[in-house]
Amino acid sequence: MPAAWHIPELQGLRRCRRCLQWALLMLALAGAAAASGCQSSGTSAWTMGPSAWLGKSKSSLDQSESIDGIMGPTERKLKQASWEQKQREAAANGERIEGLAEYQAAMRLYDAGRYSEAERAFKKLAKERRYGGLNFAERAAHALQTGVSYPSANGFGDPVEEDALFMTAEAQFMQQKYSWAQDSYDRLLERYPSTRHMDQVTRQMFRIAQAWMNFPDANQNDNVELASSELQETNPRTGNRSFKRPSFFNVTDRSRPVFDTAGRALQALQSIWLNDASGPLADDALMLTANYHLQTGNFIEAARVYQLLRDQYPDSPHFKDAYLLDSHVRLASYEGPAYDSLSLKQSRELRETAQRLFPDLTPEQRERLERELARIQISEVEREWHKVEFYQSKGQVESIELHCNIILNRFPDSPYAERARETLADIADQKRRSASPVVNFLSSGQSYQRPATGRTQTASRPTSASEGKKDNGAAGSATTRKPGMMERMLTPVRQTPKLQPVGPAGSSGAGSPSP
């Protein structure tokens, strides 16, 4: 092999050795930093005994999650007022707030309609404020000591960084770069879960989800009434076929993501009611999510979200629609008499509860409820008759009679009641004609004959030789069939085998020893 062929291999070995050396160096630095941190706290990591480690782990498990940084609407307003007052006091006293001048310059670009330049300026400012002016080496040392790559925000946080992150998303929204804007809003909520811009963030994300789901826009009061009676006219199997579902792959529309537009829209709605559960759009986000699943035919997920809306927001304006539509989707998710009946029972309970809770239902809504309750009753009768047919195939007459009587008692006016009466009459007729149990006569469709037994048959001699020959021939033909191997193996032995004496050939006497 030529020597030149060895050169790339040697270079690769040297590169791997160099990477290994750097990895070992970083590992040593991390261990030194951890040891110094433990020594600075007054306890060395190497001198701690097993009991100390167990005590520390137990206390960390018992410690509950803190909600110190979570703020409600009133606290967020007070936080915004405090920040505005701080700016006024700094301007009156001639003091300078770090980063405020850069933020105001970027705001002038935004107000002038230069959204692309403003986006870049806000991004740069947010990055600088996020790392607190630390260079790469200082951030690496901080990460080794604390385990995070940047200083965490305290209860108040950095208002300049918070505003810069928010305005970055706003600039992207104004450029109709909705997928980028959604990512920036999520980044803001991750960094500041109780941001001062929570109302505007949820409102913008709701608009993005509406645009991506092809739903109509909200009115000025943001009171979306999407759960109208038209949604109940959807196909009970595939949803609303006239609904235009968002495309999965996109390369032409800049306002939509490249992949999974509907999934990104559902993610935006989920961010709304997770981060602002008590906000004005939390129940609207849940309702829009459930309605989308209803339109696309995903009835099981729609029922789950409708139930979540009823449980979490009982004072929502969508409460009544959640009851009516939930009963509709649970009935639509029923697969038939051969499957589980839980969705059928839940649909009946929801409709009966809706009739009691909402006396102000319109005549059309009441008529629809009555019609679907009748449909539920027919489905319940079908389940009982399906059991009758099942036991007919098994030949279990007692079970057939039981479920036929259930149909007659619970549903005497149903179409299956007459069939149940006919089935019971056939069973009674067969019982009168035969004293033996009726077995499998419904599935075969034949009348049963009384089986012949040894007690009822009497042996009679043939009257002539020809008849005797016929009988002997028939008996011989009946006994010519030999049982198969499996039949012989499964047939129990009813006769005691005869024991033969063991001895030499030609010996006489039962078991007598040979001389």
Side-chain angles (χ1 to χ4, degrees):
M1 182 179 295
W5 289 14
H6 292 275
I7 295 177
E9 298 178 359
L10 293 176
Q11 290 178 353
L13 291 175
R14 293 192 189 98
R15 190 177 297 109
C16 294
R17 185 176 61 184
R18 193 179 300 112
C19 293
L20 182 59
Q21 291 174 353
W22 277 105
L24 292 175
L25 179 61
M26 295 299 295
L27 183 61
L29 291 176
S36 62
C38 293
Q39 292 176 1
S40 64
S41 62
T43 306
S44 174
W46 309 107
T47 60
M48 294 176 65
S51 60
W53 283 105
L54 291 175
K56 183 178 179 181
S57 62
K58 184 177 180 181
S59 62
S60 62
L61 291 175
D62 294 339
Q63 183 179 4
S64 59
E65 294 292 336
S66 175
I67 58 172
D68 294 338
I70 307 300
M71 303 179 186
T74 304
E75 293 175 298
R76 292 197 296 265
K77 292 180 181 179
L78 294 175
K79 182 179 176 182
Q80 176 66 20
S82 175
W83 170 237
E84 293 176 354
Q85 182 180 0
K86 183 177 180 180
Q87 294 183 59
R88 289 193 298 268
E89 292 176 355
N93 299 330
E95 299 177 356
R96 179 178 177 273
I97 300 178
E98 185 179 359
L100 186 59
E102 292 83 354
Y103 174 78
Q104 293 175 350
M107 280 298 300
R108 287 192 290 270
L109 294 174
Y110 179 85
D111 295 336
R114 301 160 62 180
Y115 301 119
S116 180
E117 299 177 13
E119 177 188 352
R120 290 193 294 270
F122 286 126
K123 277 185 177 180
K124 181 180 178 181
L125 178 60
K127 185 177 180 180
E128 292 175 355
R129 300 296 297 177
R130 180 177 187 178
Y131 296 121
L134 302 178
N135 55 24
F136 178 77
E138 294 172 344
R139 293 201 304 270
H142 184 273
L144 290 174
Q145 293 179 1
T146 62
V148 294
S149 59
Y150 55 90
S152 58
N154 53 22
F156 186 80
D158 185 1
V160 178
E161 179 195 3
E162 182 181 355
D163 294 341
L165 288 173
F166 172 70
M167 291 308 302
T168 300
E170 287 290 291
Q172 293 168 345
F173 185 88
M174 295 303 296
Q175 300 175 72
Q176 294 185 354
K177 298 164 59 175
Y178 294 144
S179 58
W180 286 272
Q182 181 195 3
D183 294 336
S184 299
Y185 286 131
D186 287 334
R187 196 175 299 114
L188 171 63
L189 294 174
E190 180 182 0
R191 178 71 171 156
Y192 295 92
S194 295
T195 176
R196 294 176 282 114
H197 309 284
M198 180 65 74
D199 294 341
Q200 181 66 13
V201 168
T202 55
R203 189 178 297 109
Q204 297 291 67
M205 295 186 76
F206 193 85
R207 291 173 180 171
I208 291 173
Q210 276 188 316
W212 287 347
M213 285 182 170
N214 299 325
F215 272 109
D217 296 332
N219 54 23
Q220 297 180 357
N221 297 327
D222 289 333
N223 185 16
V224 286
E225 294 291 345
L226 298 176
S228 58
S229 59
E230 288 79 7
L231 291 181
Q232 300 191 25
E233 302 300 332
T234 55
N235 191 314
R237 277 283 167 259
T238 60
N240 189 356
R241 295 184 179 180
S242 63
F243 178 72
K244 186 178 180 181
R245 186 177 302 188
S247 60
F248 182 82
F249 184 71
N250 169 58
V251 292
T252 58
D253 192 354
R254 188 182 181 185
S255 64
R256 294 175 178 267
V258 179
F259 296 103
D260 196 13
T261 302
R264 291 288 298 272
L266 294 174
Q267 181 184 7
L269 294 174
Q270 185 180 15
S271 298
I272 294 174
W273 61 267
L274 282 180
N275 293 279
D276 192 19
S278 60
L281 291 177
D283 57 335
D284 294 332
L286 284 174
M287 197 66 183
L288 186 59
T289 301
N291 288 342
Y292 176 79
H293 291 307
L294 169 62
Q295 295 281 31
T296 54
N298 190 358
F299 300 121
I300 296 178
E301 185 65 17
R304 185 188 69 84
V305 180
Y306 282 133
Q307 183 177 1
L308 180 62
L309 174 60
R310 297 196 315 271
D311 296 341
Q312 297 295 328
Y313 303 97
D315 56 346
S316 170
H318 307 297
F319 185 75
K320 180 174 72 172
D321 295 327
Y323 255 102
L324 299 177
L325 292 177
D326 192 6
S327 62
H328 171 74
V329 297
R330 290 184 189 276
L331 179 59
S333 62
Y334 175 64
E335 296 292 338
Y339 296 88
D340 186 33
S341 63
L342 180 61
S343 60
L344 198 66
K345 296 178 182 178
Q346 292 175 344
S347 179
R348 170 181 284 278
E349 293 174 359
L350 288 171
R351 294 179 191 281
E352 294 175 352
T353 305
Q355 289 180 336
R356 294 193 302 266
L357 289 180
F358 311 111
D360 57 341
L361 293 175
T362 62
E364 293 79 7
Q365 291 176 337
R366 291 190 177 277
E367 181 182 358
R368 187 181 299 110
L369 284 178
E370 295 294 338
R371 185 168 60 250
E372 294 189 352
L373 282 174
R375 178 184 168 189
I376 292 174
Q377 183 176 359
I378 293 176
S379 300
E380 292 176 348
V381 182
E382 288 177 352
R383 293 188 64 85
E384 293 296 332
W385 184 254
H386 183 266
K387 295 177 183 178
V388 172
E389 293 178 342
F390 172 76
Y391 289 119
Q392 283 179 351
S393 64
K394 298 295 182 180
Q396 299 182 10
V397 183
E398 293 80 3
S399 301
I400 296 173
E401 293 176 336
L402 172 64
H403 289 283
C404 285
N405 287 319
I406 290 176
I407 293 175
L408 293 177
N409 293 331
R410 294 181 57 189
F411 314 101
D413 299 331
S414 64
Y416 293 93
E418 186 62 29
R419 300 172 65 177
R421 293 187 183 93
E422 295 176 358
T423 303
L424 291 175
D426 292 340
I427 293 176
D429 183 54
Q430 291 292 334
K431 284 185 176 181
R432 283 194 302 269
R433 289 187 297 172
S434 174
S436 62
V438 182
V439 179
N440 206 17
F441 79 97
L442 291 174
S443 59
S444 61
Q446 299 178 0
S447 61
Y448 286 86
Q449 302 294 333
R450 187 178 182 86
T453 59
R455 296 181 180 178
T456 57
Q457 292 179 349
T458 56
S460 59
R461 298 180 61 184
T463 57
S464 63
S466 60
E467 292 179 359
K469 291 180 180 180
K470 291 181 181 179
D471 293 342
N472 293 333
S477 63
T479 57
T480 53
R481 189 183 68 84
K482 294 183 178 181
M485 182 182 66
M486 294 300 297
E487 187 176 356
R488 292 197 305 271
M489 293 175 62
L490 297 176
T491 302
V493 179
R494 301 185 182 277
Q495 296 180 357
T496 304
K498 297 180 180 180
L499 301 178
Q500 299 294 334
V502 178
S507 61
S508 61
S512 60
S514 60

